[in-house]
Amino acid sequence: MFEIEINIKNINKIMRAIPGMDTLLFKDWIKDYWIKAIGREPVKEILNQELAALRHDILNNDLDLDNINIEEELKSRCIKKFERAARKNLRRVINATGVVIHTNLGRSLIAQEAIDAMAQAADSYSNLEYDIDSGTRGQRNSLIENLLCSMTGAEAALVVNNNAGAVLLCLSALAKNSDVIVSRGELVEIGGSFRVPDIMAMGGAVLKEVGTTNRTHLFDYENAINENTKIILKVHPSNFRIEGFVTMPERSELAELAHKNNLIFMEDAGSGLLVPGETLNLVGETSVKECLNQGVDLITFSGDKMLGGPQIGVIAGKKDVIAKLRKFPMLRALRVDKSTFAAFEATLRIYMRGELDKIPTLEMIRRDKNLLREQADNLAAKISERINNKARVAVVETNDAVGGGSYPERPLIGWGVAVSCDASVADVKLSAGSLLNLMRENTTPIICGAHENALIIHVRTLLDNDINVIANRLEEIFIGNE
Ligand SMILES: *Cc1c(COP(=O)(O)O)cnc(C)c1O
C-alpha cells in the first residue's frame, strides 16, 4: 500500500516534469535543428505522438522512473522519427541485380549530356513552344521531330508521356468504335498495368483477336477484315518468348494486306531499338528503322527502355497518319515536360554522333565480358580484404538481363561476386534471404540477387563508387563493431 502511494506520487511528479509543446518548440535541438530540417508541422506531429507514448509508458510503469531524465528520454524517442521524416522518399539505391532496365529501380539511367540538358531546361527559360525566327508561338514536338526522323527514317514523329500513352492516343484517334486486329499470341500484359486488351478498350477500339497463342496465319488476319476494320496491330511480346511450333506472318506480308484494304499497319514495338540489334549483340530484335522499312505505317516505343533516354513515348511513321494524331485533343493531356524534351534531344544527338557507349543503358548491355570479369575480381578482392574470412566470397558467372520487358528469356552472361555464410565459415549462419535484407537496410539500399543460398552481386549495373559502398556494408555486417 505504502509503496504504491510513493509510486503514484513519483508518477505525478514525473508527469508534471514532461515539458509542454510550447516549451519543446523552443529547445535548441528542436528550434535550431529539426524545425529547420523538416519543418514545424511535422516536428509537432512527431512530438505529439511521442509525448503521448511517453505518458502512456510512465502510467504503465514501463520505465525506470527513479533514474529517468525526461528530456533525454523524449529526445532519444523523437530523433529516430525525425531522421526518418528527414529522409527523402525517393532515394538513390544501388542496383546489383544485373538487370539493366529495371522497371522498379527507375529503368534507364540518363547520359551525362542529357542530365546537363535537363538541368538547363529547368533553370532557365527556353524556346519550348516559341519560334525564335518568327517571334511567334512554336510547337514543342518540332524540337525533336527531325532528329527522330533521321534516326528512324520515318516521315514524321511526335512524342507523348510514355509508350502506354502513345498506344492509347493512336487507338483513340484512329480506331474509335472500329476494329483493330491483333494476334492472340501478342495480347501482352506488361508489368500488370499495361494490358493490350485494356488499352484497346480504353481507346474505344474493338479488339478482334485472331489466330492462336503460338500460330497466327496471314489468312487469319485476312478473314477478320471487314468494313469496320481500321488497324492491324502488331505488338512486341516484350516479356515472354514462345518457342517451338510458332508461326507469325512477316511484317511485309501484314503491310501488304493492310494497304490492299486501306488499313493502317501499326506496331507497338515496346522497347524500340534505334540501332540494329547486332550493335547490341541482341539476336532477333528488329530496329525501328527496319520495322518501318518492312512496311509499318505507325510505330510506338518507349524512351526509357532500350533507347536509354528519359520516360517518353515515341510515335513515328507516315506523315498523314501523324497529322491526324497531332490534331487529336488527347495529345494535350499526354504532353511531355521540358526537362524530358531536353534529355531526349540530348540522347538522340548522342545517337546521331554514334557515341553509343555514352548512353549508360547501351554501354551496360554491350560491356565486354572480360571487363565484367575484371570488375568482379576487383570487387571480390575488396570484399575479402574487409571481411576477414567471415564469409565465403567467390567470383561467379551470372545471368544478367536487359530487363524492362526487352529481350526476354535470353540472359546476358555477366560476372559477379557470390557471398555466402554457413556454419562451416562462421559462428552465425546467414541465409541469402537475411543477407538480401541486410544489404537493403544500408543507408543507400543495395539491391542484390541470390542463387543457391548465396548473395549475388552482379557488377554490370554497378556505378563507379558502388563497390566501396558494398564492401563497407559487408564489413559492417560481418565484422560490425567487434
Ligand atoms: C513497355 C511496353 C509498353 C509500355 O511502355 P511505357 O513506356 O512503360 O508506357 C507498351 N507496350 C509494350 C510492348 C511494352 O514493352
Side-chain angles (χ1 to χ4, degrees), residues 114-384:
I115 293 168
D116 296 343
M118 286 179 104
Q120 196 194 58
D123 83 351
S124 57
Y125 291 106
S126 60
N127 62 334
L128 183 64
E129 284 190 357
Y130 185 76
D131 182 342
I132 295 173
D133 291 337
S134 66
T136 55
R137 184 167 184 209
Q139 289 286 332
R140 63 177 75 198
N141 259 300
S142 63
L143 296 169
I144 39 78
E145 186 172 14
N146 59 344
L147 292 169
L148 271 173
C149 290
S150 14
M151 282 309 301
T152 61
E155 292 172 10
L158 58 83
V159 289
V160 292
N161 189 48
N162 58 13
N163 187 29
V167 177
L168 180 62
L169 176 72
C170 294
L171 295 175
S172 311
L174 306 170
K176 196 166 183 68
N177 301 323
S178 304
D179 291 2
V180 176
I181 306 175
V182 187
S183 158
R184 290 198 169 88
E186 296 178 347
L187 292 174
V188 191
E189 168 177 318
I190 290 126
S193 53
F194 179 94
R195 287 176 147 191
V196 171
D198 294 349
I199 290 276
M200 211 52 101
M202 202 182 290
V206 182
L207 170 63
K208 286 285 157 186
E209 304 174 24
V210 297
T212 61
T213 308
N214 59 327
R215 306 193 84 193
T216 306
H217 302 273
L218 191 64
F219 61 73
D220 291 321
Y221 286 92
E222 202 161 8
N223 291 342
I225 295 174
N226 61 49
E227 66 284 356
N228 201 31
T229 309
K230 282 279 167 59
I231 293 178
I232 293 179
L233 175 63
K234 183 173 175 60
V235 182
H236 191 285
S238 294
N239 43 15
F240 66 96
R241 180 180 299 282
I242 302 176
E243 306 240 359
F245 193 48
V246 181
T247 306
M248 281 299 293
E250 297 291 329
R251 272 188 198 78
S252 53
E253 297 174 297
L254 288 174
E256 198 187 320
L257 178 66
H259 299 153
K260 209 165 62 191
N261 290 281
N262 254 329
L263 308 178
I264 296 168
F265 179 30
M266 168 174 165
E267 177 158 358
D268 171 6
S271 206
L273 269 178
L274 290 189
V275 289
E278 305 86 71
T279 320
L280 304 180
N281 307 315
L282 303 179
V283 186
E285 291 292 319
T286 313
S287 74
V288 173
K289 192 173 204 158
E290 291 165 84
C291 293
L292 291 170
N293 272 339
Q294 290 168 23
V296 172
D297 301 308
L298 191 63
I299 190 164
T300 74
F301 53 95
S302 298
D304 55 352
K305 289 186 180 171
M306 219 114 82
L307 194 151
Q311 180 193 303
I312 215 167
V314 179
I315 307 172
K318 292 266 158 59
K319 219 179 190 117
D320 53 339
V321 187
I322 301 276
K324 278 192 196 137
L325 300 178
R326 245 189 258 289
K327 282 192 231 123
F328 197 68
M330 185 188 279
L331 184 59
R332 176 62 180 77
L334 299 171
R335 84 173 182 189
V336 173
D337 165 69
K338 57 181 178 292
S339 287
T340 308
F341 260 109
F344 194 55
E345 176 180 357
T347 307
L348 291 176
R349 287 186 181 279
I350 300 174
Y351 270 101
M352 300 286 280
R353 302 197 306 265
E355 295 180 310
L356 299 189
D357 285 335
K358 287 203 170 157
I359 296 172
T361 293
L362 300 188
E363 187 280 321
M364 285 180 195
I365 293 172
R366 283 152 53 98
R367 194 177 303 164
D368 186 68
K369 256 197 92 177
N370 296 327
L371 179 56
L372 290 167
R373 172 76 210 242
E374 209 176 287
Q375 289 172 308
D377 287 341
N378 275 341
L379 177 60
K382 199 153 220 157
I383 295 170
S384 303

